[in-house]
């Protein structure tokens, strides 16, 4: 090999060109050495990902693989120089991420900055996600900086059904706890003779529509059916259901805190609400089970009092709307329009029925949308998803999302196998 006595890191562009000629890659001398001025230091830092993506953008798979092997061999022969430069010899290898909740083998040494990029290759035909790329992270220990090479299979979307089951258990538990808190709150409803309804611009300006609240719940039911259809046909239905359960449970857990801490007077005289005692603990549990089984809906014969700050109906309608619009293709304009119309009309009907103050609906809409956007921003951004700050402040998010690499594509397929007679007829 040319200039074998001289350190590779000190090679000039001409020496790199000579090495490429010796290795049988003379066709790429002009691209690598003349156009991009690749010297010895650049050769040691070159990865297969660099060969594939712009500005090099090699397209011949055989040349890419053979050049990658030659680079790996050269780097292995100069391991000492790589360590001095803070690089690693195995920078071109691709390792898959093993199953299980390990957040891609992160250690807990502290915050880390990402020094590389993930390469994600998407096929046009089947849009099967696969990729390779070295993700280098730096960790500091005892004042010395050491680099570890982290390999990730970008675009990996593990269904992890057991986590989805845990999220479903979480939201069901929160709903049960919410129902019990509603029973306690009902015992503390302020007397309307002492605490009349608070002034509200919307409620004072718009006359009450008696049937409006039933229409709001009808909007919620339609949105629920739309989401269930999307969930049934979506390829990554386990991830969708897990995200819905975790977000819905978190918002309702926050609602438990707000309505327990502050008891507002009823928003209208039409509500025949008064503090009511359910006796012993068994009576409270029975009433909570009745609310829980009816999902707190008047359509199911459930009537509650005192559960204000903030509107649970608004939370459900808004969350379902955002999931419908997020996990359907952007060009499904009709579905998105119907979803938003149902969301906005549902909110209007809640206010028109005078079942909640305007501030209840506003806070519910704001909290639900912000939490949805924050969650998905973290889930779609790898740098935040595996940061130490995310693990501390959002431990449940880190647990549920650590093996979901990147945005979830909107891909659909029929979830059931073809019946036997269809297999006979159409194969």
């Amino acid at each position: 090999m040319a200039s074998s006595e001289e350190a590779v890191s000190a090679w000039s562009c001409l020496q790199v060109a000579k090495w490429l000629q010796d290795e049988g890659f003379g066709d790429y001398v002009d691209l690598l050495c003349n156009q991009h001025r690749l010297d010895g230091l650049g050769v040691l830092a070159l990865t297969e990902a660099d060969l594939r993506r712009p500005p090099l953008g090699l397209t011949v798979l055989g040349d890419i693989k053979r050049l990658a092997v030659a680079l790996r061999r050269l780097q292995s022969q100069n391991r000492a120089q790589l360590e001095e430069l803070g690089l690693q010899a195995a920078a071109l290898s691709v390792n898959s991420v093993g199953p299980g909740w390990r957040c891609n083998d992160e250690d807990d040494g502290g915050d880390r900055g990402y020094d590389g990029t993930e390469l994600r290759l998407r096929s046009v035909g089947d849009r099967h996600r696969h990729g390779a790329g070295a993700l280098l992270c730096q960790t500091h220990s005892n004042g010395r900086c050491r680099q570890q090479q982290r390999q990730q299979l970008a675009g990996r979307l593990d269904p992890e059904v057991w986590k989805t089951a845990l999220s479903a258990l979480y939201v069901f538990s929160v709903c049960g706890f919410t129902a019990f808190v509603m029973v306690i709150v009902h015992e503390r409803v302020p007397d309307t003779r002492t605490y009349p309804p608070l002034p509200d611009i919307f409620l004072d300006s718009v006359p009450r529509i008696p049937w409006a609240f039933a229409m709001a719940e009808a909007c919620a039911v339609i949105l629920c059916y739309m989401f269930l259809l999307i969930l049934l046909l979506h390829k990554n239905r386990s991830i969708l259901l897990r995200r819905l359960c975790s977000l819905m449970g978190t918002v309702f857990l926050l609602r438990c805190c707000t309505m327990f801490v502050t008891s507002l007077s009823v928003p209208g005289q039409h509500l025949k609400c008064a503090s009511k005692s359910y006796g012993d603990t068994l009576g409270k549990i029975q009433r909570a089970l009745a609310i829980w089984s009816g999902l707190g809906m008047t359509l199911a014969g459930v009537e509650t009092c005192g559960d204000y700050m903030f509107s649970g109906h608004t939370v459900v309608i808004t969350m379902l709307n955002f999931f419908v619009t997020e996990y359907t293709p952007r060009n499904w304009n009709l579905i998105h329009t119907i979803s938003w119309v149902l969301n906005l009309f549902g909110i209007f009907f809640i206010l028109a029925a005078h079942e909640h103050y305007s501030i209840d609906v506003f806070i519910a809409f704001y909290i639900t949308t912000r939490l949805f956007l924050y969650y998905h921003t973290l889930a779609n951004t790898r740098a935040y998803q595996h940061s130490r700050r995310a693990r501390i402040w959002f431990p449940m998010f880190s647990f549920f999302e650590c093996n979901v690499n990147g945005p979830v594509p909107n891909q659909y397929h029929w979830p059931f196998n073809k019946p036997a007679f269809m297999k006979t007829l159409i194969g």
Side-chain angles (χ1 to χ4, degrees), residues 45-82:
L46 197 62
T47 66
E48 183 177 342
D50 296 329
L51 299 176
R52 291 177 178 271
R53 63 186 173 214
L56 297 180
L58 303 188
T59 58
V60 181
L61 182 60
D63 290 347
I64 293 174
K65 291 299 183 181
R66 284 189 291 272
L67 184 54
V69 171
L71 287 170
R72 188 181 301 114
R73 183 168 59 248
L74 181 66
Q75 292 167 352
S76 299
Q77 293 170 355
N78 296 271
R79 190 178 303 272
Q81 296 182 48
L82 290 173

Side-chain angles (χ1 to χ4, degrees), residues 168-242:
L169 180 62
Y170 167 68
V171 73
F172 277 117
S173 302
V174 170
C175 288
F177 181 68
T178 301
F180 188 77
V181 172
M182 291 167 69
V183 173
I184 298 176
V185 169
H186 197 172
E187 295 181 342
R188 298 165 45 194
V189 174
D191 188 357
T192 55
R193 293 169 298 182
T194 306
Y195 301 96
L198 299 173
D200 188 285
I201 292 178
F202 186 91
L203 302 187
D204 295 341
S205 305
V206 178
R208 174 178 172 264
I209 304 175
W211 46 265
F213 200 62
M215 292 300 298
E217 293 186 342
C219 292
V221 171
I222 296 174
L223 279 169
C224 183
Y225 282 130
M226 291 175 62
F227 174 74
L228 289 177
L229 181 60
I230 293 170
L231 187 67
L232 177 67
L233 299 177
H234 204 282
K235 183 177 180 181
N236 299 289
R237 63 185 66 89
S238 179
I239 298 175
L240 267 63
L241 182 59
R242 182 163 70 240

Side-chain angles (χ1 to χ4, degrees), residues 9 46 86 119 167 171 194 199 212 328 349 368:
S9 59
L46 197 62
L119 176 66
S167 68
V171 73
T194 306
T328 51
F349 285 136
T368 303

Side-chain angles (χ1 to χ4, degrees), residues 14-299:
L14 293 177
Q15 290 171 301
V16 173
K18 182 64 169 61
W19 176 78
L20 289 172
Q21 292 282 359
D22 295 342
E23 293 293 333
F25 301 103
D27 294 338
Y28 297 103
V29 169
D30 181 71
L31 174 66
L32 298 176
C33 299
N34 298 335
Q35 295 184 31
H36 295 285
R37 298 194 295 272
L38 194 70
D39 57 5
L41 186 61
V43 167
L44 291 178
L46 197 62
T47 66
E48 183 177 342
D50 296 329
L51 299 176
R52 291 177 178 271
R53 63 186 173 214
L56 297 180
L58 303 188
T59 58
V60 181
L61 182 60
D63 290 347
I64 293 174
K65 291 299 183 181
R66 284 189 291 272
L67 184 54
V69 171
L71 287 170
R72 188 181 301 114
R73 183 168 59 248
L74 181 66
Q75 292 167 352
S76 299
Q77 293 170 355
N78 296 271
R79 190 178 303 272
Q81 296 182 48
L82 290 173
E83 293 177 355
E84 292 177 1
L85 296 172
L87 302 174
Q88 290 209 355
L92 294 170
S93 62
V94 178
N95 298 326
S96 61
V97 181
W101 178 49
R102 295 197 58 186
C103 292
N104 301 308
D105 293 332
E106 283 189 302
D107 61 12
D108 295 326
D111 290 330
R112 61 208 65 207
Y114 291 96
D115 196 27
T117 59
E118 297 179 357
L119 176 66
R120 182 167 56 207
L121 302 175
R122 183 177 298 176
S123 160
V124 177
D126 57 0
R127 296 185 69 185
H128 175 67
R129 288 171 173 261
H130 64 286
L135 186 63
L136 301 178
C137 68
Q138 291 185 344
T139 58
H140 297 268
S141 176
N142 298 325
R144 292 186 302 175
C145 176
R146 59 184 178 88
Q147 287 191 331
Q148 295 181 342
Q149 182 181 22
R150 295 161 40 86
Q151 308 292 342
Q152 298 183 3
L153 190 63
R156 175 175 180 169
L157 299 171
D158 291 338
E160 297 182 298
V161 179
W162 67 278
K163 288 187 179 180
T164 303
L166 284 180
S167 68
L169 180 62
Y170 167 68
V171 73
F172 277 117
S173 302
V174 170
C175 288
F177 181 68
T178 301
F180 188 77
V181 172
M182 291 167 69
V183 173
I184 298 176
V185 169
H186 197 172
E187 295 181 342
R188 298 165 45 194
V189 174
D191 188 357
T192 55
R193 293 169 298 182
T194 306
Y195 301 96
L198 299 173
D200 188 285
I201 292 178
F202 186 91
L203 302 187
D204 295 341
S205 305
V206 178
R208 174 178 172 264
I209 304 175
W211 46 265
F213 200 62
M215 292 300 298
E217 293 186 342
C219 292
V221 171
I222 296 174
L223 279 169
C224 183
Y225 282 130
M226 291 175 62
F227 174 74
L228 289 177
L229 181 60
I230 293 170
L231 187 67
L232 177 67
L233 299 177
H234 204 282
K235 183 177 180 181
N236 299 289
R237 63 185 66 89
S238 179
I239 298 175
L240 267 63
L241 182 59
R242 182 163 70 240
R243 289 180 174 180
L244 176 70
C245 291
S246 60
L247 284 171
M248 199 76 79
T250 301
V251 177
F252 272 90
L253 192 60
L254 177 61
R255 183 171 179 261
C256 288
C257 299
T258 57
M259 68 182 179
F260 178 78
V261 170
T262 303
S263 295
L264 298 178
S265 57
V266 295
Q269 295 291 349
H270 66 283
L271 296 171
K272 305 302 179 183
C273 287
S275 59
K276 181 178 180 180
S277 176
Y278 293 97
D280 56 3
T281 304
L282 181 60
K284 295 178 181 178
I285 293 177
Q286 291 176 345
R287 173 58 179 166
L289 289 176
I291 297 174
W292 189 19
S293 60
L295 300 177
M297 299 178 63
T298 57
L299 293 178

